Amino acid sequence: MVGNDLRHLHARALENASLGGPLAAIRRASLMAAAEKIPELAGASAATTDFEVYLRDERAPDHAVSANDAGDFLRRIQRAVARLAKSRRSRLADVVRLLPEDFQSARFNVASAAFGSLSVKLTPDTESAQEGVVPLDGPGWAEIGMAELIRALPESGEDEESIDSLMGASPVVRRAVSDLIDGFNPEVSVGITLTRQGGERLRSQLTPGLTREIRRRLEVAREERATTKMLGRLDGLRTRRQIFYFETKAGTEIHGYVDDSLIPAVKENLDRDVEVTLEVTVQRSQSGKVGQKHYRLLSVAGRQSEIPHMT
């Protein structure tokens, strides 16, 4: 008999292999071969990807969400996911224009819905993906875009650290967050949950107040960006959010944004002395006031982010 701990370890290993990397295909093939030989492991690796959205209108009777708001938000999620998937697929720091094929390659479908305070379950569409568009192994582009989006958003109304980290994210990530919230009904609360193939669950919650705060923080008049290399120790990682912690040789600790493609590299190098490349962003308000520095991880021990920096 295979214990729950071993099944959990197998699922986590399969999930990490699905995130990519130079040996991802070999690791995934080995794990799938193990699942074929041990039936109990096969059940652990057969999980599907689910994406659930919960909407609640805080001012409406019974918190019922209008059909217009529901349709509007689902279109916004699909646009944000398609934008983030294209940035990873094409290695782009920003994506301004989206084409029909970009939506098709990262399309998801409505699997079920419950009404009132609206709850919608979505699944990636595997039938519509064109040959050569989807990754050769690991998750499809819809799941990749979903994970990037939900990790960029705060877990709850008290998650100030995630909002701060978002200010140092790649332009395409912040553009995708803007896709989601700019112009949307400000009185609707949003909950988002992603269950990945390996069983990992990512959650985010956007209250009206939190949405207004993120929108305000994203309204930046001008940004100055630079890259720098540092030697130090990777001190920690918030795995459900995209935040890394790094202690420099001078003993200063900094934290900032790390996109989904670099999370496996960060995990491999935790509590080690490594060389990292950082993008440093300084924002200026319309009044000219200079804000604090924000950091984004571009490379760890030679492993590069799949979303490059702006040049």
Side-chain angles (χ1 to χ4, degrees):
M1 293 293 290
V2 174
N4 288 333
D5 288 345
L6 185 56
R7 279 194 292 268
H8 177 70
L9 288 173
H10 182 270
R12 294 292 295 176
L14 187 63
E15 173 194 325
N16 289 335
S18 297
L19 292 174
L23 301 178
I26 297 174
R27 295 202 310 269
R28 185 174 178 82
S30 299
L31 291 164
M32 295 302 290
E36 290 179 2
K37 293 180 180 180
I38 305 174
E40 291 91 339
L41 290 181
S45 61
T48 58
T49 300
D50 292 321
F51 190 54
E52 295 181 69
V53 178
Y54 178 78
L55 301 177
R56 170 189 172 104
D57 192 325
E58 301 296 348
R59 292 192 175 181
D62 299 323
H63 304 295
V65 176
S66 72
N68 184 62
D69 285 339
D72 182 26
F73 194 78
L74 292 178
R75 284 190 294 270
R76 288 169 179 273
I77 284 185
Q78 180 66 85
R79 187 171 192 84
V81 166
R83 193 184 301 280
L84 291 168
K86 182 174 184 176
S87 75
R88 286 280 296 274
R89 186 175 70 247
S90 303
R91 303 295 198 271
L92 296 171
D94 198 3
V95 174
V96 177
R97 185 184 181 194
L98 288 170
L99 302 174
E101 53 264 34
D102 298 325
F103 288 97
Q104 191 72 357
S105 66
R107 170 175 167 165
F108 53 74
N109 297 326
V110 175
S112 63
F115 300 99
S117 295
L118 185 70
S119 178
V120 181
K121 183 176 181 180
L122 307 167
T123 56
D125 186 337
T126 57
E127 298 297 326
S128 63
Q130 301 174 17
E131 184 178 355
V133 172
V134 298
L136 295 178
D137 64 289
W141 293 118
E143 181 180 345
I144 288 171
M146 289 175 185
E148 196 78 59
L149 176 64
I150 197 169
R151 286 194 202 272
L153 297 169
E155 285 189 277
S156 67
E158 292 74 42
D159 191 7
E160 176 65 27
E161 206 167 29
S162 286
I163 302 176
D164 185 61
S165 169
L166 179 60
M167 298 305 104
S170 172
V172 71
V173 171
R174 288 185 291 147
R175 194 184 293 272
V177 173
S178 294
D179 283 340
L180 207 63
I181 63 176
D182 279 357
F184 185 62
N185 185 340
E187 301 306 327
V188 174
S189 293
V190 178
I192 307 173
T193 301
L194 168 63
T195 303
R196 307 196 73 175
Q197 290 183 8
E200 180 187 22
R201 286 176 67 84
L202 304 174
R203 296 183 179 87
S204 181
Q205 183 180 9
L206 292 174
T207 63
L210 194 56
T211 299
R212 284 191 286 269
E213 174 63 14
I214 294 173
R215 188 183 295 120
R216 183 190 69 80
R217 298 275 296 268
L218 288 175
E219 291 175 352
V220 178
R222 186 161 62 90
E223 289 183 339
E224 298 169 359
R225 292 177 177 266
T227 59
T228 184
K229 291 187 177 181
M230 290 186 182
L231 287 172
R233 185 173 66 90
L234 276 169
D235 194 35
L237 173 71
R238 281 186 64 187
T239 54
R240 293 194 303 275
R241 299 270 76 83
Q242 305 198 170
I243 303 174
F244 73 93
Y245 301 88
F246 183 77
E247 184 179 315
T248 69
K249 286 295 185 181
T252 304
E253 184 173 270
I254 62 176
H255 70 274
Y257 192 90
V258 51
D259 70 67
D260 198 53
S261 68
L262 266 185
I263 286 180
V266 175
K267 288 180 178 178
E268 291 170 9
N269 288 281
L270 280 177
D271 205 27
R272 294 181 184 175
D273 287 339
V274 292
E275 182 180 75
V276 300
T277 305
L278 300 172
E279 182 176 59
V280 185
T281 303
V282 178
Q283 300 172 338
R284 294 182 183 270
S285 66
Q286 293 181 351
S287 65
K289 182 180 179 181
V290 179
Q292 69 182 84
K293 290 182 178 179
H294 298 282
Y295 299 92
R296 176 183 164 227
L297 199 58
L298 297 178
S299 73
V300 178
R303 290 270 296 276
Q304 302 289 323
S305 166
E306 293 181 10
I307 301 179
H309 66 283
M310 296 290 286
T311 56

